[in-house]
Amino acid sequence: MIKQILVVVSVMALLALLALLVWPSQEEAKVEVAVVKIKQPLPAESKLNIHATTANLPAKSPPKQKVTTDYNSNLAKAAEQVATQYERALKYPPYSQPLSEFDEDRLKPNQFYPVESPIDDKGNAVTVSLSKYRFVYPEEITLKVSAGGLKNVNVELANTDTKETVTTYKSNAQDGEANVIFKAEEDYPRNLQIFVEANVDGKQIPVVAQIQYMPPSATLIGFESAYPQSENMLIPANLKVVKKGLYRIRANLFTGDTPLAHLVSKQRLSEGSQTIDLKAHWSILPQGMADMRLSGFVIERMSPSPGERNSFGNSEISHFDINDFPFDSLQQLPYQPNEQEKLSLEFLRGLADG
């Protein structure tokens, strides 16, 4: 029983490892794992020294053979899949991974998904929408409440952890919509709960949503002109750092509306004006591509200790244009995985081979 559980846990750990190895830039790797239900084996029956007459008893049909799962085989298959995907990812450097229109977690890293609460059994609902999930001071918290027949709304901000009310807001609706703005406050708790009570034709409909609010750890001021260096296009980013620490800067590279690459850079930064380089490997740049655009910036200060959570910064710009970049000046050499990446791949292959 213990061995079976350990194997299932190992499969889950492998999938989580893939998320960390193949997608190291994700803020929170979300791994969906199919849960295997394990039945407790029946204890062996004690043999009883009992003599019984069986001549007149009907013959018993042979017991059905139980089909057992080959957990070791499942582990090997999972490891093989992880190794294959990791090997595919190693065609590109971890700081410059291909990006497609389906990579919503990278394209919309701070998206808030609207929350609905039903009004009736006809499909009508009250919807609460926000521009983002994570707010950084001095940003205002703006939200929209919409529903057919909406008259007015009462909105309460509360500390998610303590349930204490922070502030409230009342607003009348126009044409089925009510826009609510909470002014910026540097001392808002990190985890905020939004409780909406919507008056829809005299009926009170509650809606609850969750967001985050935090003081900035650093601010992205802008970028300097991109330039070639060996096989990479370098784009220096200028930041004003409030809290020193290890930072991870992320951005998405586009040509027109087509996503090209997800760029990641990690560096330890001191307080004050700092520069960190984002790098785009030649292999993710289309041949002859000269005009590109950076956007989707995420400025993250990594957690320095288990007792302190990571924090985020903000950006003074929404995008940065890269024009007339000399693609032909890049050295078009294939990416060579480092020793650690080779060892990780070798480890995964070893698990796959059993």
Side-chain angles (χ1 to χ4, degrees), residues 92-114:
Y92 305 91
Y95 58 80
S96 176
Q97 288 283 307
L99 185 67
S100 76
E101 60 186 68
F102 303 107
D103 296 322
E104 288 197 359
D105 57 332
R106 297 179 178 184
L107 293 171
K108 302 174 182 178
N110 195 19
Q111 182 173 359
F112 178 89
Y113 294 92

Side-chain angles (χ1 to χ4, degrees), residues 155-172:
V155 184
E156 175 187 283
L157 277 186
N159 186 323
T160 303
D161 302 321
T162 66
K163 308 304 180 185
E164 295 181 0
T165 300
V166 176
T167 184
T168 58
Y169 191 98
K170 295 182 180 181
S171 176
N172 293 323

Side-chain angles (χ1 to χ4, degrees), residues 310-327:
N310 58 347
S311 57
F312 293 84
N314 52 10
S315 176
E316 293 184 353
I317 61 173
S318 60
H319 65 272
F320 175 72
D321 292 324
I322 302 171
N323 299 316
D324 301 322
F325 181 78
F327 177 86

Side-chain angles (χ1 to χ4, degrees), residues 114-160:
V115 179
E116 294 185 345
S117 184
I119 299 173
D120 50 37
D121 55 2
K122 298 179 180 179
N124 297 312
V126 176
T127 303
V128 174
S129 306
L130 287 93
S131 59
K132 60 185 71 177
Y133 166 72
R134 183 179 57 252
F135 293 81
V136 178
Y137 180 83
E139 293 176 334
E140 296 178 326
I141 301 174
T142 60
L143 63 102
K144 180 175 71 174
V145 184
S146 58
L150 181 65
K151 303 301 181 183
N152 54 65
V153 295
N154 293 329
V155 184
E156 175 187 283
L157 277 186
N159 186 323
T160 303

